[in-house]
Amino acid sequence: MDDSQDAKPQASAKGGRKPPVASVAAVLIVIIAVLFIAYYYTSYHAPPPSTTTTISVPTTYPSTTTPTTTIMPSFNLTQLTTPQNALFSLPSSPALNEYNHNSSFGSNSDGWVISQYGANFTSQLLSSPNVIKPNQYTINVPTQFANTTSPVIVSLQISMFTNGTDALNNYIKNVQLFSNSTKAASNGFSNISQFNITGVGDRAMFQSYTAYGLSANAIYSLFGNYTSLITLIGTKHMQVGHVYNITDHVLSILANATAVSR
């Protein structure tokens, strides 16, 4: 879920504002861009979900209904995508390599950082220079990974906005767009479901779907003027708790970095 378009991402910390370069877009398609960037660079607005299911997840960071965190310009978002943070608590972490990393930061203290990790057998997909929709390619999982409960692909996208209102508006729009099953299906996604979850940042949505013949779990969350999308892809045995653990870890880092401004 690329919510960074409302933050007007730039090519680099030194460059002008423009969408991610082609190689990055191809990477994002794997988990994020097909469903999210493809939606959010348009003005389309789908109606909000008619029903939601709420589950509680205990956390140690503040949870509010109105974002109040003020951005800390000195905080480096790229530290959230290091292996010890992006692959937090994953048994499969030694087998996952970082295939792609990109970031963009603007003069107004907005920007985003993206990173993707995957097992060796996912390299053809993650390294593809072309856009590959989730229903156009199947990841062939080797026998030794067939029953793994840990993900074989991990994707993180953390975006920061100049204020909490911009982040909140972007979050709401993206959640609404995800609810349009027809548009999601046209981009190759199937078996989609999403649920509001509490206790994760200021707001959060859990999402699951089928991608590249495997199961995908994602948590899209809002914390002050930050949004976070953590997506894991794995076999049918993948434990859903992994995406919660990584999200909780990333938001806890953000909470500690911004505590003085709340």
Side-chain angles (χ1 to χ4, degrees):
M1 180 177 296
D2 183 355
D3 43 66
S4 59
Q5 70 289 346
D6 282 356
K8 299 179 181 178
Q10 305 171 27
S12 67
K14 298 180 181 179
R17 293 177 178 272
K18 65 179 182 179
V21 295
S23 60
V24 177
V27 173
L28 298 182
I29 286 299
V30 176
I31 300 174
I32 304 171
V34 171
L35 184 57
F36 303 111
I37 291 180
Y39 289 4
Y40 308 150
Y41 273 113
T42 71
S43 58
Y44 175 82
H45 284 73
S50 57
T51 59
T52 57
T53 300
T54 301
I55 59 177
S56 297
V57 179
T59 58
T60 57
Y61 43 82
S63 178
T64 62
T65 56
T66 303
T68 57
T69 299
T70 301
I71 188 172
M72 300 291 288
S74 61
F75 180 67
N76 185 0
L77 289 180
T78 59
Q79 69 177 278
L80 298 175
T81 63
T82 60
Q84 59 266 37
N85 292 324
L87 308 179
F88 178 75
S89 76
L90 291 181
S92 63
S93 59
L96 303 183
N97 305 305
E98 186 176 28
Y99 282 94
N100 302 283
H101 179 91
N102 197 274
S103 61
S104 174
F105 298 96
S107 58
N108 294 324
S109 299
D110 59 352
W112 48 262
V113 61
I114 297 168
S115 184
Q116 289 188 322
Y117 291 81
N120 290 338
F121 59 87
T122 68
S123 61
Q124 183 176 353
L125 177 65
L126 293 179
S127 301
S128 173
N130 303 311
V131 171
I132 303 177
K133 291 185 177 182
N135 62 350
Q136 294 177 335
Y137 181 87
T138 298
I139 297 175
N140 294 316
V141 179
T143 303
Q144 61 267 35
F145 288 90
N147 295 316
T148 181
T149 60
S150 201
V152 298
I153 292 178
V154 175
S155 173
L156 292 87
Q157 179 169 347
I158 315 298
S159 299
M160 62 181 179
F161 298 79
T162 54
N163 57 71
T165 299
D166 287 348
L168 174 61
N169 290 339
N170 197 269
Y171 172 87
I172 292 173
K173 182 182 73 172
N174 291 353
V175 167
Q176 291 175 344
L177 291 172
F178 190 87
S179 70
N180 187 285
S181 57
T182 300
K183 197 169 186 67
S186 70
N187 282 290
F189 286 78
S190 59
N191 301 321
I192 298 173
S193 64
Q194 68 173 351
F195 308 91
N196 285 323
I197 55 178
T198 59
V200 178
D202 296 323
R203 299 189 184 190
M205 184 72 70
F206 174 82
Q207 300 156 338
S208 66
Y209 47 90
T210 298
Y212 308 104
L214 298 177
S215 299
N217 293 326
I219 292 180
Y220 179 49
S221 58
L222 168 74
F223 180 70
N225 55 311
Y226 296 88
T227 59
S228 167
L229 175 67
I230 312 296
T231 306
L232 309 185
I233 289 182
T235 71
K236 63 181 181 180
H237 304 289
M238 182 174 63
Q239 294 180 352
V240 69
H242 292 312
V243 70
Y244 284 95
N245 290 340
I246 297 175
T247 299
D248 184 82
H249 179 70
V250 167
L251 294 185
S252 293
I253 293 175
L254 286 175
N256 291 331
T258 61
V260 297
S261 64
R262 286 190 73 92

